Amino acid sequence: AQSVTQPDIHITVSEGASLELRCNYSYGATPYLFWYVQSPGQGLQLLLKYFSGDTLVQGIKGFEAEFKRSQSSFNLRKPSVHWSDAAEYFCAVGAFRRGSYIPTFGRGTSLIVHP
Amino acid sequence: DAGITQSPRYKITETGRQVTLMCHQTWSHSYMFWYRQDLGHGLRLIYYSAAADITDKGEVPDGYVVSRSKTENFPLTLESATRSQTSVYFCASTQDRSQLGYTFGSGTRLTVV
C-alpha cells in the first residue's frame, strides 16, 4: 500500500528566508505526487503536481518541488517565504484505482513564519 | 454559485444519533471523495465515488455510509455517531484520472458529544 511521510510536524522560518518541506513516499509503481496547502479554517488547495517528465515542478505562489526517485522524495521549496505562506502543507501520493489517482496524504507540516 | 459546497459548516450531535453531511458540486465532476482530518493523522479517505451509483471504501470506512444517486451530490451518513467520529470532514471532486481539477470543499466540523 502507498504511504507518505512528512518527517517535520512544525517548521519555523523567518520571513524572507528560504524554505524546504520534506516528503518521502512509498509506492510500488510510478508515483503521482502532489503538494497541497491548507490555510486555517479552509479546504485544501493544490500547489503543484508531478506526473512525469521534468523532475523539477513549478507550482503556484512561487513554490517548486523536486522529484527524486532514488530517494523516494518530493520536497517542496520556496526561495523567499512571505508571512502569508503560514499554513499547513500536505504531501500526497496518488494510487490508481477506479480510473483515477486517489491521493493518500501525509500527516502535514505546519509552517510558522516569523516577521 | 459554482463550486463545491459542504453543509452544514458546523454540527454538534449526540452519541448514537444519525447525522448526514452534504456535499454538492456544480461542475458535474465524475469523481467525488470524502476525507476526515484529525490532528496527527492528516487526511484519511473514507469513501470515494467514480460516478453515480459507483462507490468504494477508502482507508477508514467503518461507521459511515455513502450514496451517489446524482452526479452532483455525495452525502456522507454516520449511522450511529460515536465520539471517535468527531473530526473535520472534507469533500472533494475531480473530473478525470489526471487529477487536474481536484477541488476541496471548505469542510464540516462535526462534534459528537
Side-chain angles (χ1 to χ4, degrees), chain B residues 15-68:
Chain B
T15 301
R17 289 195 179 264
Q18 183 181 84
V19 59
T20 297
L21 310 183
M22 303 302 295
C23 179
H24 174 80
Q25 50 102 354
T26 59
W27 300 295
S28 297
H29 282 173
S30 299
Y31 296 90
M32 297 188 74
F33 310 82
W34 275 106
Y35 287 88
R36 60 177 289 174
Q37 183 177 28
D38 304 288
L39 198 63
H41 289 279
L43 282 86
R44 292 179 291 175
L45 182 66
I46 305 171
Y47 270 95
Y48 64 102
S49 170
D53 297 321
I54 300 175
T55 61
D56 286 284
K57 294 179 180 179
E59 182 184 356
V60 288
D62 293 343
Y64 302 95
V65 174
V66 293
S67 62
R68 187 118 181 257

Side-chain angles (χ1 to χ4, degrees), chain A residues 20 39 42 68 75 82 93 100 106 110 114:
Chain A
E20 183 170 35
S39 298
Q42 302 297 314
K68 293 185 177 180
N75 293 349
H82 188 262
V93 61
S100 183
S110 178
H114 281 171

Side-chain angles (χ1 to χ4, degrees), chain A residues 2 7 12 24 32 37 44 49 56 60 69 82 87 91 109 115:
Chain A
Q2 69 279 2
T12 301
N24 293 96
Y32 286 64
V37 61
L44 276 71
K49 56 190 180 293
L56 186 61
I60 63 171
R69 185 185 297 274
H82 188 262
C91 182
T109 297

Side-chain angles (χ1 to χ4, degrees), chain B residues 60-82:
Chain B
V60 288
D62 293 343
Y64 302 95
V65 174
V66 293
S67 62
R68 187 118 181 257
S69 57
K70 293 184 178 181
T71 300
E72 61 267 29
N73 296 322
F74 191 38
L76 176 73
T77 298
L78 288 67
E79 294 185 298
S80 178
T82 65

Side-chain angles (χ1 to χ4, degrees), chain A residues 35-99:
Chain A
W35 274 99
Y36 287 85
V37 61
Q38 183 182 32
S39 298
Q42 302 297 314
L44 276 71
Q45 181 184 19
L46 180 66
L47 282 176
L48 47 79
K49 56 190 180 293
Y50 170 79
F51 288 160
S52 64
D54 192 346
T55 56
L56 186 61
V57 180
Q58 300 298 320
I60 63 171
K61 304 185 179 186
F63 285 92
E64 65 178 27
E66 186 171 13
F67 170 60
K68 293 185 177 180
R69 185 185 297 274
S70 61
Q71 298 178 18
S72 297
S73 69
F74 189 56
N75 293 349
L76 182 71
R77 301 194 294 247
K78 187 170 185 178
S80 178
V81 171
H82 188 262
W83 64 267
S84 60
D85 293 324
E88 191 86 13
Y89 290 81
F90 293 94
C91 182
V93 61
F96 190 74
R97 273 182 272 171
R98 284 277 194 185

